[in-house]
Amino acid sequence: MNMIICTTCGVGQFCARPDQGFACDHCDSLIYPRDLNVDGGEVWTVDSTGTLGKVTDPAVSCEAMTEAWESWLAADSDPTARAAFQALLAAALNLRAALRAGLSFF
């Protein structure tokens, strides 16, 4: 999980608050879920310590794994096969990070 860093101070991470918001652990700047803007292939999540972060959307990881697997099967050279395998590994690691963060892909 990639922690979301406060844009106000550029140092702190956001921690969950009882009001469903998040406060920077360095400057106390506040952010709420409606204010979160992550890239299209990412989703935000909160880890077991209450820290706000983002991970690759599990559906995006599964699609990338499928594409990499198909590329590996169709590879006609070692460099192409190696690149496909590396893409498969990267997608699998992204999926593992999302699952560890508590997200589901079913």
Side-chain angles (χ1 to χ4, degrees):
M1 181 170 90
N2 296 317
M3 303 304 171
I4 296 177
I5 302 299
C6 178
T7 57
T8 303
C9 68
V11 177
Q13 300 173 355
F14 289 97
C15 299
R17 294 169 28 107
D19 66 354
Q20 298 181 351
F22 301 93
C24 174
D25 63 3
H26 186 261
C27 72
D28 290 328
S29 179
L30 297 176
I31 191 169
Y32 291 90
R34 66 180 175 272
D35 302 323
L36 295 172
N37 186 16
V38 293
D39 294 335
E42 297 177 319
V43 293
W44 65 270
T45 186
V46 179
D47 69 11
S48 60
T49 64
T51 304
L52 179 64
K54 59 184 178 177
V55 295
T56 301
D57 186 327
V60 171
S61 295
C62 287
E63 289 175 22
M65 288 173 65
T66 300
E67 290 174 11
W69 178 252
E70 290 170 355
S71 294
W72 182 76
L73 290 174
D76 57 358
S77 68
D78 285 345
T80 303
R82 221 173 295 127
F85 184 73
Q86 288 173 339
L88 178 63
L89 179 60
L93 292 173
N94 286 337
L95 178 59
R96 182 177 73 172
L99 295 174
R100 284 185 172 172
L103 299 175
S104 173
F105 64 98
F106 291 110

